Amino acid sequence: MRLSRFHLHTSKETPAEAEIISHKLMLKAGMIRKLAAGLYTWSPLGLRVLRKVERAVREEMDAAGAIELLMPTIQPQELWEETGRWEKFGGQLLKIKDRKEAGYCYGPTAEEVITDFARSELASYKQLPVNFYNIQTKFRDEIRPRFGVMRAREFLMKDAYSFHLTEEDLGREYRNMYDTYGRIFQRLGLKFRAVFADTGAIGGSASHEFHVLADSGEDAIAFSSGSDYAANVELAQALAPGARAAASEQMRRIDTPVQKTCEDVAALMGIDLARTVKSVALTGEDADGQPQFVLALVRGDHVVNEIKLAKLAGLGNYRLATEGEIDAHLGSEPGFLGPVAPRAPIRVVADRSVAAMADFVVGANEKGFHLAGVNWGRDLPEPDEVADIRNVVEGDASPDGQGTLSIARGIEVGHVFQLGRKYAEAMQCTVLDETGRASVPLMGCYGIGVSRIVAAAIEQNFDANGIVWPEAMAPWHVAVCMINPKNDPAVSDAAQALYDELNAAGIEAVLDDRGLRPGAMFADIELIGIPHRVVVSERGLASGSFEYRHRRASEAENLDRAALLARLGVA
Amino acid sequence: MRLSRFHLHTSKETPAEAEIISHKLMLKAGMIRKLAAGLYTWSPLGLRVLRKVERAVREEMDAAGAIELLMPTIQPQELWEETGRWEKFGGQLLKIKDRKEAGYCYGPTAEEVITDFARSELASYKQLPVNFYNIQTKFRDEIRPRFGVMRAREFLMKDAYSFHLTEEDLGREYRNMYDTYGRIFQRLGLKFRAVFADTGAIGGSASHEFHVLADSGEDAIAFSSGSDYAANVELAQALAPGARAAASEQMRRIDTPVQKTCEDVAALMGIDLARTVKSVALTGEDADGQPQFVLALVRGDHVVNEIKLAKLAGLGNYRLATEGEIDAHLGSEPGFLGPVAPRAPIRVVADRSVAAMADFVVGANEKGFHLAGVNWGRDLPEPDEVADIRNVVEGDASPDGQGTLSIARGIEVGHVFQLGRKYAEAMQCTVLDETGRASVPLMGCYGIGVSRIVAAAIEQNFDANGIVWPEAMAPWHVAVCMINPKNDPAVSDAAQALYDELNAAGIEAVLDDRGLRPGAMFADIELIGIPHRVVVSERGLASGSFEYRHRRASEAENLDRAALLARLGVA
């Protein structure tokens, strides 16, 4: 492509409406243009990148044996009523009435449509297993669309749906898709993690999310240094620590007139935060369904995990206790709470790490005081329940026993689910099994946010000058820049010859023949993230050299033609 | 592709809801499945064909210098209000309200969106000319969607929009697109014609439609045997015939008791229909805007063209005359009307061919009688106006003076327009010209119905056994069919080896390894229209031969491996 015949429209301004770096850079580079809230036109430059992602996804899905089809974007209300999701899906479902007042929606996902297709087209076990996918525009009517294409309302998604007669077969395809997703993100040159995930609204049994790692990510991910283990921080198990040490201190009252947090108390006492215990007062239910006061204890340097807490008996619908309830049970006000000597019977739930502590610090249930040197069994009864109720932290042992955990932030770009029979059952989809009996198939579903990947890749790959594309996503691999081509036709001839040779060798090159000044030209080429830049100038040609610079390199180097071609991978 | 791992789902039943052959065959072949009225899922088989069309369109557009981008399917109401089309577009516009009650539509076309893009991105003449295109799902809420994907509500369209500073430059790009469309349809292997067209609702000056020729086409097209000339029958000019012959008969009354049509009168008299004249009574307006009775005359074998008629002075809003008006002016009842001796003053508009007639037959303005041997100037005054007011017919001289016209039916699959400044002006889109003055650009727009082409191609290419794909649109080029592979592993080995060799040579082959009986297998392969079929059987292998049959051939032939590969184009 000659840039003079392309439509490149970069901007020097940093757009005010953009909150995150990928949104800023996509607007500055002119990859996208906002049409309305959450609706973006992909410019020629942006589309080149989007298509690269799309192609990588398609080729890997094909290689994995999935079969592509194309479903309409508009879906009839009746199908969504069969599964009950017409009402349940919520406000993200864009509902539409046609000229005959018939109800439709713009598909945010396609479980209903594919199950309808399957109940018509799949009759026999001989047609299973099968995995249908489609790469199609989707719409979710976000309340607050933002971050550009990262959370747009209209977006490009690859969604796949597989059908199986047995759990084993579903598990096999699930693994196949899990592996395929790994290949896709690897091929795209992205650092990513597959994490155990909560299944959320779509339902089903097993589920993994694929996250592109980036500091700006919305989700915190715990992953092992010693294995493939990765999970959402909220779902990662915190292992039990070693055995409890013997008591070595006496329990004593500490004067903490204004110190209400573990951090403040530890600072006052000059001790490690890990020696303090945080007490969280809750109201749950006892075995008879009556309100029960619960004190949940985690180490001062840990955070209570509400998901884990809610899985404990009696805490399914817990809420924070009121000041009145706290006073009634502990005789204290918040900031000085503790499990020692409550005024009324309470239930104490201790995190595993708290249960293993000795000589710890807790609130004294008395305004202005904490207790130090506290020990289980001696100063207060053993906890009523010991459980994993905290978020994992950096350095925790990996739950699979291999290595320790690191925490990183991630952007969800893919998700694989085992749906089970939920949709097939609701929609009366059956196939005849080998014995001739009608059997409801099991389903898996596998999504990738194709347009979101573009933004996520930028969040992971940028510097002060702009985007730094991984090779596989770059709009072009090499930019051939001509300096003052009008002054010396030899410059444009040499640049053109190099450009032709690179393209002939299958390397996607772009020729910057716009006649811009070097500074403006280089700024554009850096901003749009081309991995390799070659400068053809009168001076260079005089010494038989080309200036080469990799997008990630701090310095340019002068190479002769042969060395340059070798560097660019031309044999 | 091995068919055992593909999802092929053909049907023996002829679907009752399908009215036209392409719809029937696409359903029988399992290329599409109806989701709701006018909404179709493209099955894996159908999508393979659709993608071939899409790729051909994309590659030719790229080669022509157009630049691809991707606009959202959902478009904001405000933009459509700027051009006034929010109200004017009519019921086909699918209007949508989002969760915040903001108005949107599902784009049926994208003039507004691209003009909005252009007014933001195009600032200078240096960026022109430019031609942006996108291949994207569109929606038109047809009152009566039918004929499958031929007139679906959701469909795939390629739409392109070009921007220019001068009429000349717009004309140049218009010609470029006209030529590109020719290359696209030629490459797809379709018989087509580019025809002059009425611009309809989109407006603008010049316009051509591209029609795939097929007997089932909705439009009649006149095209020259001797040149590129082609036009919609309704728009093709009927040239003036030669000079009028001298009168040779006397005017006489003919007894036509029940003969009210030219056909019946000609039959009764035993004369050529071309010697009769049809009189159509109309009410138009005179120069003062008063109702005026008009008799429009065309030859008995011709048809009045209402579009041409309405272009004449005073006939812009004509209607058929009432029986009362006819009686008042002609003193007769319908069936026996004529221009001779009216009761009150009338205006006579004669088609050019009628003006050139001598000794003709017309109604006598008396029930049960016609007049024969009628001659202009002698039996009645010369016509008030002589004009082209008929449809052309097969055998007419071509308006460009080269060859004669043939009539064929066509399916519109493409349309190129010169829009002029209509949209840019309404939306205040300007660019600075070379003198630094803000100038409203001229626009061209160029559409292709990508999904419609698939159906149109079938209408042109089928036989009793199913679809007969042109090579470029076939889902696969060669089907390698295995007969009883389980009986003889040599059969499956030989078939697999052939299949591998073909694919390695870049020929898209499909291996039918489903283990069906030959009859069922061949029926499928014919139905889905694979151009080349190769049968690998025990008997064939014994004699060192493969059975080969082209989809259009009536007989199969036995070829040895080398001859087979040569026939399939493997060097």
Side-chain angles (χ1 to χ4, degrees):
Chain A
M1 180 60 71
R2 305 173 73 95
L3 270 189
S4 63
R5 295 183 194 163
F6 191 71
H7 174 74
L8 182 66
H9 185 71
T10 60
S11 163
K12 284 196 192 62
E13 324 277 289
T14 295
E17 81 264 32
E19 298 170 51
I20 59 170
I21 192 72
S22 60
H23 191 191
K24 280 183 188 142
L25 289 176
M26 288 181 81
L27 287 172
K28 281 186 77 168
M31 290 179 63
I32 53 172
R33 175 162 288 278
K34 183 175 172 179
L35 174 64
L39 301 178
Y40 291 88
T41 293
W42 290 77
S43 77
L45 180 71
L47 185 60
R48 284 188 73 92
V49 178
L50 184 67
R51 291 278 188 242
K52 299 231 165 164
V53 177
E54 187 181 333
R55 187 189 311 162
V57 171
R58 176 172 288 120
E59 288 180 2
E60 294 297 338
M61 288 298 291
D62 288 343
I67 309 173
E68 188 174 7
L69 45 62
L70 185 65
M71 294 179 266
T73 60
I74 299 297
Q75 307 179 354
Q77 174 174 351
E78 299 91 76
L79 288 186
W80 284 72
E81 282 175 344
E82 286 189 50
T83 61
R85 291 210 295 178
W86 184 255
E87 294 307 329
K88 268 192 299 198
F89 200 89
Q92 285 198 341
L93 191 65
L94 184 69
K95 295 179 177 179
I96 300 170
K97 287 229 183 276
D98 73 1
R99 66 195 298 166
K100 291 170 182 161
E101 291 294 311
Y104 293 87
C105 67
Y106 198 123
T109 174
E111 284 80 6
E112 282 81 2
V113 174
I114 200 71
T115 307
D116 178 59
F117 183 81
R119 67 183 169 184
S120 305
E121 300 247 337
L122 301 180
S124 153
Y125 69 94
K126 291 179 191 165
Q127 296 171 281
L128 302 189
V130 65
N131 188 350
F132 295 117
Y133 77 98
N134 104 154
I135 300 179
Q136 175 66 305
T137 310
K138 301 282 188 295
F139 198 98
R140 291 190 186 173
D141 199 3
E142 301 279 354
I143 287 194
R144 203 185 149 206
R146 54 183 172 153
F147 305 149
V149 298
M150 185 75 89
R151 198 183 296 165
R153 294 197 290 173
E154 185 171 326
F155 56 99
L156 191 62
M157 182 170 152
K158 187 282 296 174
D159 43 332
Y161 307 88
S162 66
F163 294 84
H164 310 270
L165 273 184
T166 65
E167 293 278 0
E168 294 65 41
D169 196 53
L170 169 57
R172 180 200 50 71
E173 183 63 14
Y174 182 83
R175 182 76 215 181
N176 179 30
M177 285 295 104
Y178 180 98
D179 293 343
T180 301
Y181 276 34
R183 278 193 295 273
I184 289 169
F185 297 118
Q186 199 144 27
R187 172 172 167 169
L188 291 174
L190 298 173
K191 291 185 280 291
F192 71 97
R193 286 286 182 287
V195 308
F196 294 123
D198 200 18
T199 52
I202 300 197
S205 43
S207 160
H208 280 85
E209 291 172 0
F210 287 77
H211 287 255
V212 166
L213 302 182
D215 292 341
S216 61
E218 290 183 298
D219 297 291
I221 297 160
F223 60 96
S224 170
S225 57
S227 72
D228 270 353
Y229 178 85
N232 224 301
V233 159
E234 299 195 328
L235 295 176
Q237 192 192 4
L239 293 186
R244 188 190 295 167
S248 64
E249 299 176 13
Q250 287 307 309
M251 184 166 81
R252 60 198 187 277
R253 231 162 67 128
I254 308 286
D255 216 349
T256 54
V258 298
Q259 286 74 19
K260 294 186 173 185
T261 66
C262 289
E263 286 78 5
D264 291 347
V265 172
L268 177 75
M269 295 176 65
I271 58 167
D272 189 350
L273 185 58
R275 293 196 44 205
T276 65
V277 170
K278 202 180 316 185
S279 302
V280 182
L282 309 169
T283 299
E285 291 176 346
D286 67 13
D288 300 323
Q290 296 305 309
Q292 181 178 33
F293 188 90
V294 177
L295 212 55
L297 308 180
V298 294
R299 232 165 59 183
D301 58 336
H302 288 160
V303 172
V304 169
N305 180 309
E306 300 180 3
I307 295 172
K308 293 176 179 178
L309 204 55
K311 285 183 179 156
L312 301 184
L315 290 176
N317 291 309
Y318 81 87
R319 57 171 173 77
L320 292 179
T322 63
E323 293 201 8
E325 288 166 341
I326 291 171
D327 184 57
H329 289 86
L330 302 177
S332 173
E333 63 178 65
F336 306 97
L337 306 186
V340 181
R343 175 184 287 182
I346 65 172
R347 179 169 168 226
V348 173
V349 177
D351 184 65
R352 289 165 170 172
S353 54
V354 172
M357 290 170 81
D359 302 327
F360 52 88
V361 175
V362 294
N365 288 331
E366 184 180 353
K367 185 174 180 181
F369 294 95
H370 279 73
L371 299 174
V374 179
N375 282 279
W376 292 109
R378 183 190 74 183
D379 307 321
L380 77 170
E382 291 290 336
D384 299 297
E385 183 168 6
V386 176
D388 171 21
I389 60 168
R390 69 172 174 94
N391 283 347
V392 293
V393 294
E394 188 98 21
D396 273 346
S398 176
D400 65 355
Q402 300 176 54
T404 56
L405 293 180
S406 295
I407 309 286
R409 300 204 71 81
I411 299 163
E412 187 192 335
V413 289
H415 208 154
V416 292
F417 295 100
Q418 292 191 20
L419 291 174
R421 297 195 167 86
K422 179 178 166 179
Y423 292 93
E425 216 149 53
M427 297 181 67
Q428 279 112 47
C429 170
T430 60
V431 296
L432 297 182
D433 66 16
E434 297 187 2
T435 69
R437 218 167 31 101
S439 173
V440 176
L442 292 141
M443 289 172 62
C445 97
Y446 319 95
I448 286 185
V450 176
S451 43
R452 188 170 227 224
I453 285 175
V454 176
I458 296 173
E459 293 291 335
Q460 189 180 82
N461 299 280
F462 67 93
D463 64 15
N465 297 324
I467 303 166
V468 184
W469 288 117
E471 204 86 11
M473 293 179 65
W476 298 279
H477 296 133
V478 182
V480 178
C481 300
M482 311 197 286
I483 305 287
N484 293 327
K486 284 185 186 159
N487 290 0
D488 184 359
V491 167
S492 69
D493 289 351
Q496 176 77 47
L498 178 64
Y499 164 76
D500 289 341
E501 183 164 357
L502 290 172
N503 279 314
I507 293 175
E508 283 181 295
V510 64
L511 183 64
D512 196 340
D513 59 345
R514 296 175 297 163
L516 296 189
R517 285 169 301 102
M521 176 162 56
F522 296 166
D524 273 355
I525 297 301
E526 288 188 286
L527 173 60
I528 69 174
I530 310 299
H532 309 276
R533 186 186 81 193
V534 179
V535 179
V536 183
S537 66
E538 208 173 336
R539 202 178 51 181
L541 288 181
S543 66
S545 73
F546 298 84
E547 186 193 292
Y548 168 80
R549 183 169 169 185
H550 189 278
R551 181 67 181 79
R552 292 191 186 275
S554 53
E555 298 276 317
E557 41 188 329
N558 290 312
L559 299 175
D560 67 23
R561 201 165 196 280
L564 174 71
L565 290 173
R567 182 69 63 92
L568 294 174
V570 180
Chain B
M1 180 59 72
R2 305 174 71 96
L3 270 190
S4 63
R5 295 182 194 163
F6 192 70
H7 175 74
L8 183 65
H9 185 69
T10 60
S11 161
K12 284 196 192 64
E13 324 276 288
T14 295
E17 80 264 32
E19 299 170 51
I20 59 171
I21 193 71
S22 61
H23 191 192
K24 281 185 187 141
L25 289 175
M26 289 181 81
L27 288 172
K28 282 187 76 168
M31 291 179 62
I32 53 172
R33 176 163 289 277
K34 183 175 172 179
L35 174 64
L39 301 177
Y40 291 88
T41 293
W42 290 77
S43 77
L45 180 70
L47 184 60
R48 284 187 73 91
V49 178
L50 185 67
R51 291 279 188 242
K52 298 231 165 163
V53 177
E54 186 181 334
R55 186 190 311 161
V57 171
R58 176 173 288 120
E59 288 180 2
E60 294 297 338
M61 289 298 291
D62 288 344
I67 310 173
E68 189 175 6
L69 44 62
L70 185 65
M71 294 179 266
T73 60
I74 299 297
Q75 307 179 355
Q77 174 174 352
E78 299 89 79
L79 288 186
W80 284 72
E81 282 174 344
E82 287 190 48
T83 61
R85 291 210 294 178
W86 183 256
E87 294 307 329
K88 268 191 298 194
F89 199 88
Q92 286 198 339
L93 191 65
L94 183 70
K95 296 179 176 179
I96 299 171
K97 289 231 183 272
D98 74 0
R99 67 195 297 166
K100 292 170 181 160
E101 292 293 311
Y104 293 87
C105 67
Y106 198 123
T109 174
E111 283 81 5
E112 281 81 2
V113 175
I114 200 71
T115 307
D116 178 60
F117 183 82
R119 68 183 170 185
S120 306
E121 300 247 337
L122 301 180
S124 153
Y125 69 94
K126 291 180 191 164
Q127 296 171 281
L128 302 191
V130 66
N131 187 350
F132 295 117
Y133 79 98
N134 104 154
I135 300 179
Q136 175 65 304
T137 310
K138 301 283 188 296
F139 198 97
R140 292 190 185 173
D141 199 2
E142 301 279 353
I143 287 195
R144 203 185 148 207
R146 54 183 171 153
F147 304 150
V149 298
M150 185 76 87
R151 198 183 296 162
R153 294 197 289 173
E154 185 171 326
F155 55 97
L156 191 63
M157 183 169 152
K158 186 283 295 177
D159 43 331
Y161 307 88
S162 67
F163 294 83
H164 311 270
L165 273 183
T166 65
E167 293 278 359
E168 294 65 41
D169 197 51
L170 169 57
R172 181 202 50 71
E173 183 63 13
Y174 183 83
R175 182 75 214 182
N176 179 29
M177 284 294 104
Y178 180 99
D179 293 343
T180 301
Y181 276 33
R183 279 193 294 273
I184 289 169
F185 297 117
Q186 199 142 29
R187 172 173 167 169
L188 290 174
L190 298 174
K191 290 183 281 292
F192 71 97
R193 285 287 182 287
V195 307
F196 293 124
D198 201 19
T199 52
I202 300 196
S205 44
S207 160
H208 281 86
E209 291 171 0
F210 286 76
H211 287 256
V212 166
L213 302 183
D215 292 340
S216 61
E218 290 183 297
D219 297 292
I221 297 160
F223 60 95
S224 169
S225 56
S227 72
D228 269 354
Y229 178 83
N232 223 301
V233 160
E234 299 195 327
L235 295 175
Q237 192 192 4
L239 293 185
R244 188 190 297 167
S248 65
E249 300 177 13
Q250 286 305 311
M251 183 166 82
R252 61 196 185 278
R253 230 162 68 127
I254 307 285
D255 214 351
T256 53
V258 297
Q259 286 75 17
K260 294 185 172 185
T261 65
C262 289
E263 285 78 5
D264 291 345
V265 172
L268 177 75
M269 295 176 64
I271 59 168
D272 189 349
L273 186 57
R275 294 196 45 205
T276 65
V277 169
K278 204 180 315 185
S279 301
V280 182
L282 310 168
T283 299
E285 291 176 344
D286 67 13
D288 300 324
Q290 297 305 308
Q292 181 177 36
F293 188 89
V294 177
L295 212 56
L297 308 180
V298 294
R299 232 166 59 183
D301 58 334
H302 287 159
V303 171
V304 170
N305 180 308
E306 300 180 3
I307 295 173
K308 293 177 178 177
L309 205 55
K311 286 183 178 157
L312 302 184
L315 290 177
N317 292 309
Y318 81 85
R319 59 170 172 80
L320 292 179
T322 64
E323 293 202 9
E325 289 166 340
I326 290 172
D327 184 57
H329 290 85
L330 302 177
S332 173
E333 65 178 63
F336 306 96
L337 307 186
V340 180
R343 177 183 285 183
I346 65 172
R347 180 170 167 225
V348 172
V349 178
D351 184 66
R352 289 166 171 172
S353 54
V354 172
M357 289 170 81
D359 302 326
F360 53 88
V361 176
V362 294
N365 287 332
E366 184 181 352
K367 184 176 180 181
F369 294 96
H370 278 72
L371 298 174
V374 178
N375 282 279
W376 293 109
R378 184 191 74 184
D379 306 322
L380 77 170
E382 290 291 334
D384 298 299
E385 184 167 5
V386 176
D388 171 20
I389 60 168
R390 68 172 174 95
N391 283 347
V392 292
V393 294
E394 188 97 23
D396 273 346
S398 177
D400 65 355
Q402 299 176 54
T404 56
L405 294 181
S406 296
I407 310 285
R409 300 203 72 81
I411 300 163
E412 188 193 334
V413 289
H415 208 153
V416 293
F417 295 98
Q418 292 192 22
L419 292 172
R421 297 195 167 86
K422 179 178 165 177
Y423 292 93
E425 216 149 53
M427 296 182 66
Q428 278 113 47
C429 170
T430 60
V431 296
L432 297 181
D433 66 16
E434 297 187 4
T435 69
R437 217 166 33 101
S439 173
V440 176
L442 293 141
M443 290 171 62
C445 97
Y446 319 95
I448 285 185
V450 177
S451 44
R452 189 170 226 225
I453 286 176
V454 176
I458 296 174
E459 293 291 335
Q460 189 181 82
N461 299 280
F462 68 92
D463 65 15
N465 297 323
I467 303 166
V468 183
W469 289 118
E471 204 85 12
M473 293 179 65
W476 298 280
H477 297 133
V478 182
V480 178
C481 300
M482 311 198 286
I483 304 288
N484 294 326
K486 284 184 186 159
N487 291 358
D488 184 359
V491 166
S492 70
D493 290 351
Q496 176 78 46
L498 178 64
Y499 164 76
D500 289 341
E501 184 165 354
L502 290 172
N503 279 314
I507 293 175
E508 282 181 295
V510 65
L511 184 64
D512 195 340
D513 60 344
R514 295 175 297 163
L516 296 189
R517 285 171 298 104
M521 175 162 57
F522 296 166
D524 273 357
I525 298 302
E526 288 187 285
L527 174 60
I528 69 174
I530 309 300
H532 308 275
R533 187 187 79 192
V534 178
V535 179
V536 184
S537 66
E538 209 174 334
R539 202 177 52 179
L541 288 181
S543 66
S545 74
F546 297 85
E547 187 192 291
Y548 168 78
R549 183 168 169 186
H550 189 278
R551 181 66 181 80
R552 292 190 187 276
S554 52
E555 298 276 318
E557 40 187 328
N558 290 311
L559 299 174
D560 67 23
R561 202 166 196 280
L564 175 70
L565 290 173
R567 182 71 62 91
L568 295 174
V570 180

